[in-house]
Amino acid sequence: MKVPYEPFKIRVVEPIRLLPREIRKVKLEEAYWNVFGIRSEDIYIDLLTDSGTSGLSIYQLAAIMAGDEAYAGSRSWYRFRDTVRNILGVDYILPTHQGRSAERILYTSLMDMRRAYIVPANTHFDTGRAVILNYGGRPVDLPKGNITDKNDFDRFKGGFDLDKLDMLIKKEGPDKIAFILIVLTNNTLAGQPVSMENIRGAREIADKYGLPLVMDISRYAENAYFIKMYEDGYRDKPLIEVAREMLSHGDHFMMSAKKDGLAAMGGFIATRDEELYRYMQSKVVLEEGFVTYGGMAGRDMEEIAIGMYEALQQDYMGHRIGQVRYLGELLDSIGIPVVKPFGGHAIYIDAAEYLNHIPREYFPADTLAAYLYLEGGIRGVGLGLLAFGDDGEAPEYELLRLAIPRRTYTNHHMEYIAEVFKEIDERRRDIKGLRLVWQPKIKGVRHFLAKLEPVKNS
Ligand SMILES: *Cc1c(COP(=O)(O)O)cnc(C)c1O
């Protein structure tokens, strides 16, 4: 196993502590066995999300101090805008306070202008899907790979099934398609990357039918790294060049800067189309803030202006992807069923297989999340029936996601996680499922808020 040595030294630290097991049990009971309800200070290793949780560099910290808080036309805005322009090669940039507002403004504007409501994607991310659904649209997932098929060794499972994309557009007619969306990397599909070949294929289909191609580039630097390392012809190119080639195929872009912007908050929309830009400007002013801050503080924009370049550094990204892979290999070596190949930002455990003595109605993924906290003070998130099954349709997968924050934990922490899994593994047959005792009325947010309790011995 190759250890991905850290390309940084740590000069600011946040103490973390492991509470005793009996206290963790009390915390879990107080949270109704739902890890979303636990205070982060009561967690030892927090792998709930990699969004807005990145460690900052000394350069970002210095820039934050120089953040300019002007409402209109601040220095920080121009630094932010110039970074985005330089990397994307796109002129028209609009700031937003985070990714989901960029999704809302861009997606609804395209639906308005084209008067079309079907949106095919390699796989929609949950917030984007919710935007489209709530606007009367129809999000359609057309992924290429099967993530739990152990005989599917494709390194780029995240892409489109291009035949299905072509068939859908033919069947519905291009006039009914609002836009084609590529999510890079495919977050919902276990963070699997999309190949340059697949992006080119989607571009050809977009051109064939005269449709706009939108890219969700929240994790674009990770995707560029996979292309560089695993697709023929890119090994010798710097990441920024691979990224530029990738992005050259898109018409419009949205980004959550909480991911590959290495920032705590922020996002943006970018487009090559002046008319669409003018249309969206008013929406940004109305919903986010003036067009030179969009809900961000000057210091947020400074953080992103630097973070977007840092995410494209080869040694940073080699460690980032290497650390995720290292955790995956450690868990794999002790027989935990992990999704392979390992994706960009997280390790996913097939909880349906691992806890196959627990019926799905007792939420194996969320049960594993609760026990991981109980046994080791670690927080992951269940993505299965509890998260996606409250509209009556059971989702395909029952996964526990361990998302790795960027530049935050060391490789020793990864080894600690594997040690905890070894202990859980010895007693895994004794783990009982969780029963739902309360859920909210609004659909789609059940796993955030649900109350659960352990199923009694029978
Ligand atoms: C996080 C994320 C979003 C939403 O961004 P927020 O900043 O959380 O609102 C959209 N798409 C992808 C792929 C993401 O990872």
Side-chain angles (χ1 to χ4, degrees):
M1 228 173 279
K2 205 161 152 256
V3 182
Y5 296 112
E6 287 86 358
F8 50 78
K9 59 182 175 181
I10 299 163
R11 294 176 56 194
V12 180
V13 295
E14 176 182 343
I16 51 177
R17 62 186 176 152
L18 181 61
L19 296 173
R21 190 179 188 279
E22 61 274 15
I23 309 265
R24 296 200 297 267
K25 178 123 191 284
V26 173
K27 300 286 179 188
L28 202 49
E29 283 164 355
E30 284 173 358
Y32 293 93
W33 293 79
N34 180 344
V35 294
F36 274 100
I38 300 173
R39 289 182 187 219
S40 60
E41 65 185 6
D42 294 335
I43 286 164
Y44 182 51
I45 309 282
D46 203 345
L47 309 182
L48 185 74
T49 180
D50 67 328
S51 177
T53 54
S54 303
L56 297 180
S57 69
I58 53 171
Y59 306 106
Q60 284 176 302
L61 280 172
I64 284 170
M65 297 308 290
D68 170 359
E69 305 298 349
Y71 189 104
S74 73
R75 187 174 59 237
S76 302
W77 154 251
Y78 287 106
R79 284 161 57 87
F80 168 86
R81 187 201 65 175
D82 290 347
T83 292
V84 177
R85 275 190 178 167
N86 182 26
I87 294 173
L88 272 69
V90 172
D91 284 342
Y92 303 112
I93 317 293
L94 286 165
T96 62
H97 85 280
Q98 65 181 92
R100 65 200 67 184
S101 355
E103 289 176 317
R104 191 185 65 244
I105 292 169
L106 176 60
Y107 300 176
T108 61
S109 298
L110 282 167
M111 289 193 272
D112 288 351
M113 291 183 83
R114 294 187 40 80
R115 295 180 212 284
Y117 296 93
I118 300 173
V119 183
N122 52 338
T123 306
H124 287 272
F125 183 64
D126 56 8
T127 49
R129 172 194 307 273
V131 161
I132 294 163
L133 275 177
N134 282 292
Y135 213 63
R138 178 152 73 90
V140 183
D141 292 333
L142 301 171
K144 169 166 173 266
N146 176 326
I147 52 171
T148 51
D149 180 353
K150 294 196 174 60
N151 297 315
D152 180 355
F153 296 108
D154 185 0
R155 187 52 272 194
F156 292 95
K157 284 184 184 177
F160 259 113
D161 183 326
L162 293 169
D163 293 332
K164 283 195 186 150
L165 176 61
D166 195 272
M167 266 156 37
L168 176 88
I169 301 170
K170 254 198 213 118
K171 182 168 150 263
E172 303 288 347
D175 290 352
K176 296 232 169 62
I177 309 290
F179 55 93
I180 297 172
L181 174 66
I182 303 192
V183 185
L184 305 166
T185 60
N186 192 331
N187 189 348
T188 309
L189 209 73
Q192 299 292 309
V194 184
S195 68
M196 196 74 87
E197 191 190 355
N198 198 266
I199 295 172
R200 260 188 250 117
R203 178 74 257 173
E204 278 166 26
I205 292 177
D207 288 342
K208 177 171 156 192
Y209 294 104
L211 292 171
L213 183 62
V214 175
M215 292 182 169
D216 175 336
I217 59 166
S218 305
R219 299 159 185 287
Y220 78 104
E222 290 175 7
N223 203 82
Y225 179 84
F226 281 104
I227 290 176
K228 176 180 162 90
M229 302 308 283
Y230 300 107
E231 194 165 347
D232 285 346
Y234 293 97
R235 218 13 117 83
D236 299 329
K237 295 203 165 124
L239 273 179
I240 191 161
E241 267 182 44
V242 181
R244 283 187 180 131
E245 182 180 332
M246 238 168 56
L247 304 173
S248 74
H249 297 293
D251 297 305
H252 318 295
F253 308 85
M254 67 70 50
M255 167 129 184
S256 164
K258 299 165 77 176
K259 322 295 170 43
D260 283 348
L262 293 171
M265 194 47 76
F268 62 83
I269 305 165
T271 176
R272 302 181 199 279
D273 178 344
E274 187 178 351
E275 194 195 346
L276 177 67
Y277 167 72
R278 299 272 168 234
Y279 185 80
M280 292 189 295
Q281 266 191 327
S282 317
K283 290 203 187 194
V284 169
V285 174
L286 188 66
E287 298 172 13
E288 292 291 294
F290 189 58
V291 291
T292 58
Y293 74 92
M296 285 184 282
R299 67 188 90 102
D300 298 331
M301 294 190 278
E302 297 280 352
E303 215 171 284
I304 300 164
I306 291 172
M308 284 196 61
Y309 285 123
E310 290 182 344
L312 289 166
Q313 283 168 8
Q314 179 69 18
D315 59 352
Y316 156 76
M317 194 54 89
H319 174 259
R320 159 85 179 139
I321 302 293
Q323 189 175 54
V324 171
R325 186 190 60 228
Y326 185 52
L327 175 62
E329 285 171 349
L330 288 170
L331 296 179
D332 194 29
S333 73
I334 56 173
I336 311 294
V338 283
V339 170
K340 283 190 278 187
F342 307 123
H345 65 293
I347 292 301
Y348 292 71
I349 296 163
D350 187 345
E353 182 185 331
Y354 191 59
L355 298 180
N356 60 12
H357 60 287
I358 299 180
R360 263 194 107 179
E361 69 204 86
Y362 294 146
F363 311 114
D366 307 275
T367 301
L368 190 54
Y371 276 84
L372 190 56
Y373 177 71
L374 182 65
E375 300 304 335
I378 301 162
R379 174 155 68 176
V381 64
L383 296 173
L385 190 65
L386 189 67
F388 303 121
D390 63 355
D391 56 1
E393 239 179 89
E396 198 168 339
Y397 306 114
E398 190 69 32
L399 303 170
L400 174 75
R401 184 185 76 184
L402 304 173
I404 316 293
R406 298 163 182 79
R407 300 195 293 211
T408 300
Y409 292 112
T410 64
N411 298 326
H412 276 303
H413 288 124
M414 303 301 121
E415 289 157 18
Y416 168 79
I417 297 162
E419 287 303 317
V420 171
F421 266 97
K422 260 188 219 161
E423 283 167 33
I424 291 179
D425 206 37
E426 283 162 20
R427 279 168 289 146
R428 102 176 121 120
R429 293 283 150 199
D430 301 333
I431 297 176
K432 302 279 188 292
L434 296 172
R435 187 200 316 276
L436 188 63
V437 291
W438 181 84
Q439 63 176 322
K441 287 207 174 70
I442 289 177
K443 304 278 184 214
V445 295
R446 174 163 87 163
H447 64 308
F448 296 106
L449 303 168
K451 293 180 178 176
L452 304 158
E453 67 179 14
V455 175
K456 302 278 178 312
N457 283 335
S458 56

